[in-house]
Amino acid sequence: MSASEYHIPVMLQQCIEGLAIRPDGVYVDLTFGGGGHSKEILKHLGPEGHLYGFDQDDDAARNAFEHPNFTFVQANFRDLKRYLRLYGVSQVDGILADLGISSHQIDEPSRGFSTRFDGDLDMRMNQLGSVTAKDVLNTYEEEKLHKVFGIYGEVKNAKSLAQAVVSERASQPFETIEQFKQLLQKMAPRNREFKYFAQVFQALRIEVNDEMGALEEMLYQTVEVLKPEGRLVVMSYHSLEDRMVKNFINKGKLQGEVEKDFYGNLIRPLEPVSRKAIQARPEEVSVNNRARSAKLRIAKKL
């Protein structure tokens, strides 16, 4: 499977420019996927440079390629520091993370990420993970489901949906996407079904993969492993992720609280390179719909 079939990289050129690649530098692609970003980074590296590509997904591991300047690491990016240490790397010149889900994962019915196909309610990015979407729907208490749908999916009727899930599973546990969609159809606002399904599926995916927890751990580690002046380039696709990244870059804290020194200067480990998030150009969105919601933020270590 070619990288372009697997996943079209979003804002590829802007990501590469954001990394400000030095030919002899050490770089990390935290979300290898189909290898699109990695291949482009390697074009800018000389014989002294090196790239480490992280991905926990088995399908992504099958896309890994042989290259003298490249090492594939099959791991979640929350283990960034630990795995770099295993390879004898303490500091790097740049880190790229393209968050969210790849086109291939969405298009593979057996993975359970998409509402377009029937299949198991799975949604694990790491297929050795212990929790599936089916587990969440069938075992979580109503209050916990309410939080998952409300916080991670920003679903308006999260409380009613949680009640409906608990009521439905009492007589028939959830097994398939189609079965769950039948319930969602009753709960969705009229003419807004597609958006509603997407929000609920996003919430389940984030919970199954502990995406916000992993992002939090990863962001703090980037500061430890980046060299001074090193670049952090992060692309996110929903407001929860983007808010966390924005707060961390601008204020050094995930919740956005501000810390200042004696002279009133902001205490933060990173500095934004672009004042606002960079968004895809209309011509890119027209050929790759996934680029529509992407927000790219670039920072450098102080």
Side-chain angles (χ1 to χ4, degrees):
M1 185 190 304
S2 73
S4 59
E5 286 170 343
Y6 185 95
H7 177 72
I8 303 167
V10 174
M11 288 193 268
L12 181 58
Q13 218 40 55
Q14 294 94 316
C15 288
I16 298 301
E17 286 166 16
L19 283 170
I21 299 169
R22 292 178 34 225
D24 63 346
V26 178
Y27 293 87
V28 183
D29 178 355
L30 287 173
T31 44
F32 179 77
H37 285 111
S38 283
K39 284 174 184 163
E40 195 60 37
I41 292 168
L42 284 166
K43 288 179 189 173
H44 295 75
L45 290 180
E48 302 300 310
H50 204 85
L51 172 68
Y52 293 87
F54 279 67
D55 209 301
Q56 61 184 337
D57 195 300
D58 284 342
D59 286 339
R62 284 189 274 275
N63 285 318
F65 47 78
E66 293 288 322
H67 191 287
N69 304 82
F70 176 70
T71 302
F72 180 76
V73 182
Q74 190 168 357
N76 188 304
F77 60 41
R78 74 195 315 159
D79 296 318
L80 166 68
K81 196 173 146 189
R82 184 157 67 92
Y83 277 93
L84 285 180
R85 200 183 294 132
L86 276 178
Y87 287 100
V89 178
S90 57
Q91 289 202 300
V92 301
D93 296 276
I95 297 170
L96 168 70
D98 178 2
L99 305 173
I101 185 169
S102 75
S103 316
H104 169 73
Q105 286 170 326
I106 293 171
D107 293 339
E108 181 56 55
S110 66
R111 302 298 296 274
F113 286 114
S114 176
T115 57
R116 298 203 314 272
F117 315 103
D118 194 18
D120 275 352
L121 284 157
D122 191 326
M123 300 198 195
R124 290 171 299 171
M125 287 185 179
N126 175 357
Q127 286 159 298
L128 297 175
S130 56
V131 178
T132 65
K134 194 192 304 187
D135 297 327
V136 172
L137 291 171
N138 289 326
T139 67
Y140 276 28
E141 291 175 2
E142 187 182 305
E143 189 183 339
K144 199 170 178 187
L145 283 170
H146 176 197
K147 282 183 179 166
V148 168
F149 296 139
I151 295 170
Y152 294 157
E154 298 174 300
V155 175
K156 293 278 195 292
N157 63 349
K159 191 174 174 64
S160 313
L161 176 58
Q163 287 169 344
V165 166
V166 170
S167 168
E168 183 85 10
R169 77 189 187 195
S171 55
Q172 178 74 51
F174 291 99
E175 293 291 335
T176 66
I177 289 170
E178 206 49 56
Q179 182 194 352
F180 183 46
K181 273 171 66 179
Q182 284 170 17
L183 173 68
L184 293 183
Q185 197 76 50
K186 298 174 197 165
M187 305 300 297
R190 193 185 293 269
N191 301 323
R192 301 286 300 280
E193 289 90 350
F194 183 75
K195 186 179 183 202
Y196 186 79
F197 288 3
Q199 286 174 297
V200 174
F201 270 56
Q202 172 184 293
L204 284 171
R205 193 199 80 218
I206 290 172
E207 176 63 22
V208 166
N209 298 289
D210 187 24
E211 289 178 35
M212 302 311 288
L215 177 58
E216 182 176 324
E217 287 177 37
M218 178 268 277
L219 286 171
Y220 279 118
Q221 288 176 53
T222 61
V223 171
E224 294 182 60
V225 301
L226 276 173
K227 291 177 184 173
E229 298 291 309
R231 293 292 185 99
L232 174 65
V233 178
V234 184
M235 188 147 47
S236 49
Y237 297 86
H238 60 77
S239 56
L240 286 174
E241 286 175 338
D242 182 58
R243 197 176 307 130
M244 192 183 274
V245 174
K246 178 185 175 182
N247 284 339
F248 190 69
I249 289 173
N250 289 342
K251 296 163 184 168
K253 297 279 196 298
L254 296 171
Q255 305 310 326
E257 63 273 37
V258 173
E259 205 178 327
K260 294 186 176 180
D261 66 14
F262 180 74
Y263 300 101
N265 302 311
L266 264 181
I267 298 173
R268 59 182 183 187
L270 301 170
E271 178 178 72
V273 169
S274 51
R275 197 171 63 81
K276 292 170 75 174
I278 298 164
Q279 294 184 275
R281 299 183 184 102
E283 52 269 32
E284 180 177 0
V285 176
S286 68
V287 294
N288 185 5
N289 189 47
R290 191 170 179 268
R292 182 173 41 90
S293 57
K295 286 190 172 175
L296 180 68
R297 295 190 184 273
I298 303 164
K300 69 175 175 184
K301 185 174 173 181
L302 294 167

